[in-house]
């Protein structure tokens, strides 16, 4: 993967944007310049080495539409004003087109600052899009050197402001000026030797062309290059047979005084057929001054042929044919390996259906999904995929949400329930109201974020690219030295050492080394997405795999986030049903979550309602109301103490009823219970909230309500601790409740009584203690803490835009058990990346050392050092797809 100026400039504290225009308001034109409404569109752009912008290597480019800047004096005035900003480099005011192009350092200024200074000079920045982003499909761009040539071509294309090449998916994402010629950009890419099979713009090729391109990708072994490779291999095999099996030494052809035996002629034909694509790509590499594998292989093949023509009796045609054939095989293998990686993302894209059955005026009509609008109603029959995000308006069914949330069990859906595009209707008939247009649904956002994640280069990937920029030139120097020094300095056989030099050229290619990280990242991220975990970049994948501690918010994460009734303690001869009946009546008109939980529980147990009059909420204490004409109360224990009740001595049973074992232990008098010292503290120590229910004269019972701990919380925490992580719970609850929940789920430590800003401080403290911390929360209330942590993980993000945008990693389902899977995947991904990097380096080193001793042939260098390692690192990376949450 390769990226150019991938940072998005954001708003910040730039220089003063209120610069007054010099020499009054008139620019010197015959007509006064009018100032109107303004808006700016700044985008990252490409910068040549040595560009100014504060000499920052991260300089980017922004373009603004300034229609009133229509003369040289206007342009000079605008340039003078913008030049006052800190961090501004090259400024190109184009008076003939009314456009201003500015290169700047995003760490020191912003597009808003530039816009302000333009307006401060008396010129409006016109509203409307001045740029557009187009994705070009370039399937043959499947390695770093390919990406480099495409980048070089884009750098010189007119109208290109920024670009980002993604060899792992074979796409180039280009930001263009609004008036840029799309065909010119396509021509620039194809002039670099890479066919553009389609774009996502309106001018994209038709569906048939794209389908053909897809078919070609799926049949790499039957492609034109593959056919030429097999023909080349046939000539090479025939030449070997002619020379070694049949011993044919007859001269069968003579060209320009150079004679060719039958074997040599077959070798030349093999080199010509197999080397055609190599030499073509090598030409483009030379044209773009790119020292890549195509240039190196072209040099090696041509050198072998040239040496054979010059040397006379010494023939290196076999080496040339071997290089051409084996490197072509290597390229096919690399393409096949990269297609396997790309297929993992295509599978995500293919989850959503292309067509939908829409109900309009009572008639079912099949239309493309793109034609659906918000408010349409679509019919989804059993076995069909749901085409859009929406709400069920009719029918009920079980829906398989695994493509989005990773849930293994279908979820029941009925009227009013939310459904997602790409999920499968298992059984019943559903009618779904469209809530999001095509492209704005959850699945589309997931695919888009997974694609964008490739632009987020990891530290290892940046190291690899820096290393390879030194490795290849160094190896070329070594190859020249190996070929030249021994024959010249020591009189050794020049043919032998020339072949050794060619072999070293083969080893100069860092392709397997360069792709070792991106293929692992793509494999890990797409595998996670299929299992309901959205990782928004390789940096976050690596970071999650190296955290030392996990901070987990309590409410909604370790607990369900929904209050439920856990205990009902009847008093004074009342039954549980009696207590719930009174509690339901008192809380029926309450809007407090505790009241809603009590009412829901009472309804679920079939307790009848009571007539309620004169309802009153006593702030901070409880409620009162008349139930069937009798005054009743419900609230905190202190509320009842204020009403004059003795909570230390409460009758539990009626006359003649048997006493429970607990009562006999707790009460020293027949049928009595001490609520203050025994029952209430016991319930509160379990993390429960106590509500007392009674009349003016008698206590009727106690109801305990709690945010129930998730069934899998303890197991999840245990697995994280087994993996060597420390787990710390953060909560705004009191110390007693926090301690009870912490003991129940088994965390290492907890922090209680935290406000949102306190959670940020708690995470900062954990960072000081552990160095690397993941924070798990809901992605909304916990957003500041998530942003503070090394990695922010949001739970239940499906359908929640805020959580998807704010978190580094999103668990699409409300499923805490995915956390151990996430850590295991990330941890293994780090291991795979390290294995790929060091294995590719080690094998290159071993082969390079063996070349001067004659242990490594050209064939072995190509097969092991190039094709073998490319297949090896890709296959190793694809192992990540086999990790499952249930393992």
């Amino acid at each position: 993967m390769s990226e150019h100026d991938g940072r998005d400039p954001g708003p910040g504290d730039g220089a003063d944007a209120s610069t007054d225009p010099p020499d009054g308001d008139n620019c010197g034109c015959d007509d006064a310049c009018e100032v109107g409404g303004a808006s700016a569109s700044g985008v990252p752009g490409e910068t040549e080495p040595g560009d100014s912008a504060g000499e920052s290597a991260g300089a980017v480019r922004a373009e603004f539409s300034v229609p009133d800047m229509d003369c040289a004096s206007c342009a000079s005035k605008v340039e003078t004003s913008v030049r006052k900003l800190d961090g501004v480099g090259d400024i190109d005011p184009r008076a003939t087109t009314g456009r201003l192009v500015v290169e700047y350092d995003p760490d020191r200024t912003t597009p808003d600052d530039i816009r302000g200074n333009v307006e401060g000079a008396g010129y409006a920045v016109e509203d409307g899009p001045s740029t557009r982003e187009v994705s070009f499909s370039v399937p043959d761009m499947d390695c770093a050197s390919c990406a480099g040539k495409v980048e070089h071509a884009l750098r010189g294309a007119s109208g290109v402001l920024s670009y980002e090449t993604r060899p792992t998916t074979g796409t180039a994402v280009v930001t263009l000026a609004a008036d840029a010629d799309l065909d010119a950009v396509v021509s620039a890419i194809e002039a670099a030797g890479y066919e553009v099979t389609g774009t996502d713009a309106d001018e994209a090729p038709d569906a048939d062309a794209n389908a053909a391109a897809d078919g070609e990708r799926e049949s790499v072994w039957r492609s034109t290059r593959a056919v030429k490779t097999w023909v080349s291999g046939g000539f090479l095999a025939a030449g070997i047979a002619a020379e070694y099996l049949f011993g044919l030494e007859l001269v069968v052809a003579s060209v320009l005084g150079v004679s060719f035996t039958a074997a040599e002629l077959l070798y030349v034909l093999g080199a010509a057929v197999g080397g055609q694509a190599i030499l073509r790509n090598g030409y483009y590499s030379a044209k773009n001054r790119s020292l890549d594998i195509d240039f190196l292989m072209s040099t090696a093949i041509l050198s072998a042929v040239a040496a054979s023509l010059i040397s006379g009796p010494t023939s290196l045609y076999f080496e040339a044919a071997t290089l051409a054939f084996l490197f072509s095989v290597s390229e096919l293998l690399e393409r096949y390996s990269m297609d396997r990686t790309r297929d993992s993302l295509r599978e995500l894209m293919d989850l959503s259906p292309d067509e939908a059955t829409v109900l309009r005026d009572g008639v079912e009509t099949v239309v493309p999904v793109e034609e659906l609008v918000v408010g349409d109603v679509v019919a989804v029959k059993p076995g069909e995929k749901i085409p859009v995000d929406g709400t069920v308006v009719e029918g009920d069914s079980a829906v398989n949400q695994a493509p989005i949330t990773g849930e293994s069990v279908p979820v029941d859906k009925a009227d009013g329930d939310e459904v997602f595009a790409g999920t499968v209707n298992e059984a019943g008939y559903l009618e779904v109201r469209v809530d999001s247009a095509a492209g704005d649904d959850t699945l589309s956002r997931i695919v888009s974020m997974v694609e964008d994640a490739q632009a987020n280069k990891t530290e290892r990937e940046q190291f690899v690219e820096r290393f390879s920029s030194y490795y290849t030139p160094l190896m070329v120097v070594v190859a020249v030295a190996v070929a030249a020094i021994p024959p010249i300095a020591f009189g050794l056989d020049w043919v032998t050492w020339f072949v050794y030099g060619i072999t070293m050229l083969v080893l100069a290619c860092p392709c397997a080394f360069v792709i070792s990280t991106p293929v692992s990242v793509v494999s890990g991220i797409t595998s996670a997405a299929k299992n309901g975990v959205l990782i928004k970049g390789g940096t976050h994948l690596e970071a999650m795999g190296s955290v030392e501690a996990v901070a987990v918010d309590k409410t909604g994460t370790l607990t369900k986030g929904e209050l439920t009734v856990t205990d009902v303690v009847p008093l004074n001869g009342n039954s549980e049903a009696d207590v719930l009946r009174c509690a339901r009546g008192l809380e029926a008109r309450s809007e407090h979550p505790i009241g809603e939980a009590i009412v829901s529980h009472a309804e679920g147990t079939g307790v009848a309602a009571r007539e309620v009059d004169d309802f009153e909420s006593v702030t901070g204490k409880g409620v009162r109301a008349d139930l069937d004409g009798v005054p009743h109360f419900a609230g905190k224990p202190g509320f009842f103490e204020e009403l004059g009740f003795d909570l230390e001595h409460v009758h539990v049973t009626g006359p003649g009823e048997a006493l429970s074992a607990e009562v006999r232990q707790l009460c020293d008098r027949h049928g009595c219970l001490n609520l203050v010292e025994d029952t209430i503290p016991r319930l509160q120590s379990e993390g429960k909230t106590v509500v007392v229910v009674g009349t003016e004269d008698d206590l009727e019972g106690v109801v305990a309500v709690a945010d129930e701990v998730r069934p899998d919380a303890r197991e999840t925490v245990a697995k994280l601790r087994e993996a060597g992580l420390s787990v710390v719970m953060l909560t705004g609850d009191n110390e007693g409740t926090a301690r009870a929940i912490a003991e129940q789920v088994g965390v290492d430590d907890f922090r209680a009584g935290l406000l949102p800003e306190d959670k940020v401080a708690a995470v900062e403290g954990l960072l000081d203690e552990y160095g690397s911390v993941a924070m798990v929360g809901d992605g909304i209330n916990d957003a500041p803490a998530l942003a503070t942590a090394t990695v922010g993980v949001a739970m239940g993000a499906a359908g929640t835009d805020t959580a998807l945008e704010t978190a580094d990693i999103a668990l699409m389902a409300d499923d805490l058990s995915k956390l151990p899977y996430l850590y295991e995947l990330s941890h293994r991904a780090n291991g795979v990346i390290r294995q790929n990097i060091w294995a590719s380096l080690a094998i290159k080193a071993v082969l390079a050392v063996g070349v001067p001793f004659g242990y490594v042939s050209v064939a072995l260098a190509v097969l092991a050092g190039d094709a073998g390692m490319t297949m090896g690192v890709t296959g190793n990376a694809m192992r990540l797809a086999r990790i499952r949450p249930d393992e």
Side-chain angles (χ1 to χ4, degrees):
M1 169 177 57
S2 178
E3 173 190 0
H4 188 80
D5 292 337
R7 293 179 292 179
D8 289 330
D13 296 324
D16 185 3
S18 59
T19 309
D20 292 329
D23 303 325
D25 292 333
N26 198 302
C27 66
C29 304
D30 293 335
D31 299 321
C33 296
E34 296 180 359
V35 179
S39 71
S41 176
V43 295
E46 54 94 1
T47 306
E48 297 287 353
D51 280 347
S52 47
E55 300 301 326
S56 169
V60 297
R61 177 185 293 178
E63 179 172 336
F64 304 86
S65 177
V66 191
D68 292 331
M69 183 185 66
D70 53 10
C71 65
S73 176
C74 303
S76 176
K77 203 159 96 174
V78 169
E79 181 175 358
T80 300
S81 180
V82 174
R83 181 69 66 188
K84 296 178 181 180
L85 290 172
D86 183 36
V88 169
D90 289 344
I91 302 175
D92 182 12
R94 303 170 182 174
T96 55
T97 59
R99 294 192 180 278
L100 173 70
V101 179
V102 182
E103 287 186 351
Y104 67 96
D105 183 348
D107 293 330
R108 299 162 66 189
T109 193
T110 71
D112 286 340
D113 297 332
I114 298 171
R115 170 188 172 179
N117 276 33
V118 172
E119 293 175 346
Y123 297 89
V125 181
E126 190 176 65
D127 287 325
S130 62
T131 64
R132 56 177 171 158
E133 186 177 88
V134 180
S135 178
F136 296 83
S137 178
V138 192
D140 290 333
M141 183 187 67
D142 52 15
C143 66
S145 64
C146 304
K149 281 186 280 192
V150 172
E151 288 175 0
H152 191 279
L154 289 171
R155 191 175 300 137
S158 175
V160 173
L161 301 179
S162 68
Y163 50 78
E164 175 190 317
T165 53
R166 301 172 177 173
T168 49
T169 55
T171 56
V173 180
V174 184
T175 301
L176 303 169
D179 57 355
D181 184 357
L182 195 67
D183 291 336
V185 178
V186 172
S187 297
I189 296 174
E190 293 187 337
Y194 296 91
E195 181 185 4
V196 177
T197 60
T199 76
D200 62 356
D202 293 337
E203 298 90 338
D206 58 36
D208 292 338
N210 285 330
D214 290 339
E216 182 180 348
R217 281 196 297 266
E218 294 171 357
S219 57
V220 61
W221 302 113
R222 296 190 299 275
S223 64
T224 301
R225 180 160 190 180
V227 172
K228 291 180 179 178
T229 300
W230 309 141
V231 172
S232 172
F235 281 127
L236 176 61
I240 293 173
E243 182 174 1
Y244 296 104
L245 294 182
F246 304 111
L248 298 179
E249 298 293 338
L250 295 176
V251 173
V252 295
S254 180
V255 180
L256 300 177
V258 179
S259 301
F260 293 90
T261 66
E264 290 174 340
L265 183 60
L266 290 169
Y267 292 149
V268 170
L269 291 174
V273 175
Q276 181 181 350
I278 301 171
L279 296 176
R280 176 177 175 272
N281 291 336
Y283 161 75
Y284 286 115
S285 298
K287 181 180 177 182
N288 294 321
R289 298 186 297 278
S290 175
L291 189 64
D292 59 16
I293 185 62
D294 293 316
F295 177 80
L296 296 175
M297 287 297 177
S298 297
T299 301
I301 293 171
L302 292 176
S303 298
V305 173
S308 300
L309 294 174
I310 294 172
S311 66
T314 302
S315 170
L316 295 178
Y317 298 123
F318 169 76
E319 282 75 10
T322 301
L323 267 178
F325 171 66
L326 292 180
F327 181 67
S328 293
V329 172
S330 170
E331 290 289 276
L332 293 174
L333 289 171
E334 182 176 293
R335 178 69 178 278
Y336 171 72
S337 299
M338 196 59 67
D339 274 354
R340 288 178 61 196
T341 305
R342 294 174 182 176
D343 284 342
S344 60
L345 182 57
R346 291 190 194 118
E347 289 173 5
L348 280 178
M349 298 176 179
D350 292 341
L351 288 175
S352 184
D354 298 324
E355 296 180 328
T357 303
V358 64
L359 300 175
R360 291 174 179 166
D361 299 326
V363 179
E364 291 188 358
T365 306
V366 178
V367 300
V369 171
E370 291 76 13
E371 293 184 8
L372 295 175
V373 297
V374 175
D376 276 343
V377 175
V378 297
V380 186
K381 298 175 182 177
E384 292 183 345
K385 290 181 179 179
I386 296 174
V388 291
D389 282 4
T391 304
V392 176
V393 295
E394 185 176 326
D396 58 83
S397 179
V399 175
N400 182 356
Q401 297 191 148
I404 301 297
T405 66
E407 296 169 287
S408 58
V409 179
V411 179
D412 291 334
K413 299 290 182 179
D415 188 13
D417 289 336
E418 184 180 33
V419 292
F420 304 109
T423 56
V424 181
N425 180 19
E426 293 283 342
Y429 171 84
L430 293 176
E431 291 184 5
V432 178
R433 183 183 66 245
V434 178
D435 292 340
S436 300
D440 293 332
D441 53 76
T442 302
L443 179 60
S444 297
R445 290 199 299 273
I446 291 173
V447 171
S448 177
M449 288 178 178
V450 170
E451 289 181 315
D452 291 342
Q454 300 173 64
N456 186 356
K457 291 188 179 181
T458 67
E459 292 183 6
R460 288 190 180 95
E461 191 171 355
Q462 295 174 33
F463 160 75
V464 165
E465 291 189 356
R466 289 193 302 269
F467 179 86
S468 63
S469 67
Y470 295 101
Y471 170 81
T472 299
L474 177 63
M475 287 297 293
V476 170
V477 171
V478 171
V480 172
V482 167
I485 293 177
I488 295 174
F490 305 105
L492 300 178
D493 180 49
W494 77 267
V495 173
T496 300
W497 288 94
F498 187 80
V499 172
Y500 290 167
I502 290 176
T503 307
M504 295 298 288
L505 275 183
V506 173
L507 296 176
C509 172
C511 282
F513 180 56
V514 171
I515 70 168
S516 60
T517 298
V519 295
S520 303
V521 168
V522 170
S523 177
I525 289 175
T526 52
S527 175
K530 293 174 187 176
N531 288 290
V533 179
L534 176 61
I535 303 174
K536 295 164 60 178
T539 299
H540 307 312
L541 178 72
E542 282 192 359
M544 186 66 206
S546 58
V547 296
E548 297 294 332
V550 179
V552 187
D553 183 57
K554 179 189 79 71
T555 305
T557 306
L558 289 172
T559 64
K560 293 182 178 180
E562 299 175 357
L563 294 176
T564 57
V565 173
T566 59
D567 300 85
V568 178
V569 181
L571 302 172
N572 291 315
N574 290 290
S575 65
E576 288 191 12
D578 295 333
V579 177
L580 287 174
R581 189 176 299 110
C582 292
R584 174 182 179 177
L586 287 164
E587 300 289 359
R589 298 183 183 180
S590 173
E591 295 181 355
H592 195 282
I594 292 177
E596 293 176 354
I598 291 174
V599 171
S600 176
H601 181 77
E603 291 176 347
T605 57
V607 172
R610 299 182 65 172
E611 183 179 344
V612 183
D613 296 303
D614 297 331
F615 174 83
E616 178 186 357
S617 175
V618 184
T619 304
K621 297 180 181 179
V623 297
R624 71 159 305 281
D626 290 345
L627 302 181
D628 298 329
V630 179
H632 279 72
F633 302 86
K636 296 179 178 179
F639 182 32
F640 279 81
E641 289 182 329
E642 293 178 7
L643 294 174
F645 285 93
D646 180 11
L647 300 184
E648 295 183 358
H649 192 85
V650 180
H651 287 277
V652 180
T653 61
E657 293 184 4
L659 297 178
S660 66
E662 178 181 16
V663 170
R664 291 188 183 278
Q665 295 173 2
L666 296 177
C667 189
D668 59 357
R669 288 180 296 170
H670 184 77
C672 296
L673 187 66
N674 189 330
L675 295 181
V676 175
E677 293 184 2
D678 301 310
T679 305
I680 292 175
R682 174 177 62 80
L683 294 172
Q684 289 178 336
S685 69
E686 296 172 357
K688 300 171 183 177
T689 300
V690 174
V691 178
V692 180
V693 181
T695 66
E696 292 178 325
D697 303 317
D698 296 306
L699 294 177
E700 296 180 326
V702 174
V703 179
V705 178
D707 183 5
E708 190 176 356
V709 173
R710 294 177 184 270
D712 53 0
R714 186 173 184 85
E715 182 182 0
T716 296
V717 171
K719 287 181 177 179
L720 292 174
R721 295 183 66 189
E722 286 174 8
L725 301 178
S726 296
V727 183
V728 181
M729 184 184 76
L730 307 182
T731 178
D733 285 343
N734 60 66
E735 183 87 8
T737 300
R739 185 178 302 279
I741 299 297
E743 292 176 353
Q744 189 173 347
V745 299
V747 296
D748 295 281
D749 198 2
F750 66 90
R751 308 283 192 273
L754 302 178
L755 297 173
E757 56 268 27
D758 297 328
K759 290 182 181 179
V760 172
V763 171
E764 290 174 342
L766 292 173
L767 285 169
D768 291 337
E769 182 177 354
Y770 294 100
S772 181
V773 177
M775 171 68 194
V776 186
D778 61 14
I780 302 174
N781 299 323
D782 303 316
L786 293 178
T788 304
T790 309
V791 185
V793 182
M795 277 189 56
T800 308
D801 292 346
T802 304
L804 281 174
E805 295 297 332
T806 59
D808 301 321
I809 298 174
L811 307 182
M812 303 305 292
D814 198 24
D815 185 1
L816 187 65
S817 66
K818 292 292 176 65
L819 267 180
Y821 160 74
L822 169 61
Y823 176 75
E824 177 69 13
L825 175 70
S826 303
H827 190 65
R828 287 202 200 175
N830 284 347
V832 166
I833 291 171
R834 286 192 296 268
Q835 292 164 13
N836 283 349
I837 290 174
W838 293 113
S840 56
L841 274 179
I843 289 179
K844 290 276 189 182
V846 170
L847 292 174
V849 170
V851 169
F853 297 99
Y855 296 134
V856 179
S857 64
V858 171
L860 181 59
V862 174
L863 290 177
D866 190 70
M869 279 311 305
T870 298
M871 288 291 290
V873 298
T874 304
N876 195 31
M878 295 305 292
R879 290 192 304 117
L880 296 173
R882 296 202 294 267
I883 301 175
R884 294 288 183 266
D886 53 357
E887 292 180 352

